[in-house]
Amino acid sequence: YDIEVRFGEGMNPEAQQEFRSEIARYVDKIGFAHQTSVEMDFDNQTKDVILIASDKSMEQFMDFHTGDVSLRMPGAGEALLSVGIADKMGVSVGDTVTIRDPDMRCMTVTISGIYDNHVNNYIIIHPQTIQDQWNETPELQMAYISIKDDQDAHYAATRVATYGGVMNVTVNNDLAAQVNSMLDALNLVVVTVVICAGLLAVTVLYNLTNINITERIREIATIKV
């Protein structure tokens, strides 16, 4: 997707259709999802993750895979987990984790797949899981938008932002540029550290060699005397 939109409140079917009609000129595809911050518990560990609840329509906006192996969207009671948080907590496919929302409500899900993702930590579930365990329909306060080929992402984002109820609009290219900038800065730090370490190693070896040669010269001089 090109643009991520957050609304101030959940979008019911009527609001979704109105939003689609309002931005139809710029949009190729649009999908709605529930997104919130939760805590995930596993093996006496607790980490903050971003929960996304959506059905198979999410597959047209996100490619979930491990290496070259594609993963299917989770069913009811299942979840996909991003690899970063899975490695930190030692979670494997088939493990059961507990999710706790800000209202301290808990649900348990079985990890059906761990997918490649290295920016932020996400857990993906099916909306039916929330319906079954929390007895409520999740609010769809997020929209993922793919714009038409002849449209500019920033201009489309500006038009989307004018729609009533929109709290925040994020252009993916801007996020990618920000991450790349951070990585470039980190690479500069790494190169600086490596160069300084190399200079230090050369200095230490030079001093050790110089001391060793000086001692040998003194030993030879002593033998000559």
Side-chain angles (χ1 to χ4, degrees), residues 42 77 79 86 89-98 108-112 114:
F42 178 76
M89 301 185 70
V91 179
S92 303
V93 175
D95 289 338
T96 298
V97 301
T98 300
T108 57
V109 293
T110 301
I111 303 301
S112 61
I114 296 175

Side-chain angles (χ1 to χ4, degrees), residues 3-8 141-143 160-161 165-170:
I3 300 173
E4 180 182 278
V5 183
R6 175 177 286 276
F7 301 96
Q141 80 282 50
M142 297 296 300
V160 169
V166 172
M167 290 184 59
N168 184 57
V169 178
T170 303

Side-chain angles (χ1 to χ4, degrees), residues 20 24 69 78-79 87 125 134 156 164-165 168 173 178 200 205 215:
R20 291 177 190 272
V69 179
E78 298 179 336
D87 288 344
I125 66 173
W134 288 348
N168 184 57
N173 286 340
Q178 181 181 359
L200 178 60
L205 290 174
E215 290 298 324

Side-chain angles (χ1 to χ4, degrees), residues 41 46 50 74 78 88 91 96 99 114 123 132 138 142 148 157 173 208 210:
D41 296 338
T46 301
I50 300 173
E78 298 179 336
K88 286 182 180 179
V91 179
T96 298
I99 300 172
I114 296 175
I123 185 167
D132 293 342
M142 297 296 300
K148 295 179 179 178
N173 286 340
L208 289 175
N210 190 46

Side-chain angles (χ1 to χ4, degrees), residues 56-150:
K56 288 187 176 182
S57 63
M58 183 62 66
E59 292 180 340
Q60 60 183 325
F61 301 101
M62 297 183 182
D63 176 22
F64 298 107
H65 60 270
T66 302
D68 295 330
V69 179
S70 297
L71 302 176
R72 64 175 180 82
M73 286 293 291
E78 298 179 336
L80 292 178
L81 188 62
S82 57
V83 65
I85 193 68
D87 288 344
K88 286 182 180 179
M89 301 185 70
V91 179
S92 303
V93 175
D95 289 338
T96 298
V97 301
T98 300
I99 300 172
R100 184 169 57 251
D101 74 350
D103 296 325
M104 304 306 293
R105 297 179 300 176
C106 295
M107 72 165 67
T108 57
V109 293
T110 301
I111 303 301
S112 61
I114 296 175
Y115 66 95
D116 295 335
N117 180 76
H118 302 285
V119 179
N120 294 326
N121 297 313
Y122 294 93
I123 185 167
I124 315 296
I125 66 173
H126 194 281
Q128 188 62 42
T129 303
I130 296 179
Q131 183 70 50
D132 293 342
Q133 299 198 34
W134 288 348
N135 296 317
E136 69 174 31
T137 301
E139 292 186 343
L140 305 180
Q141 80 282 50
M142 297 296 300
Y144 301 95
I145 299 173
S146 293
I147 63 172
K148 295 179 179 178
D149 293 337
D150 60 345

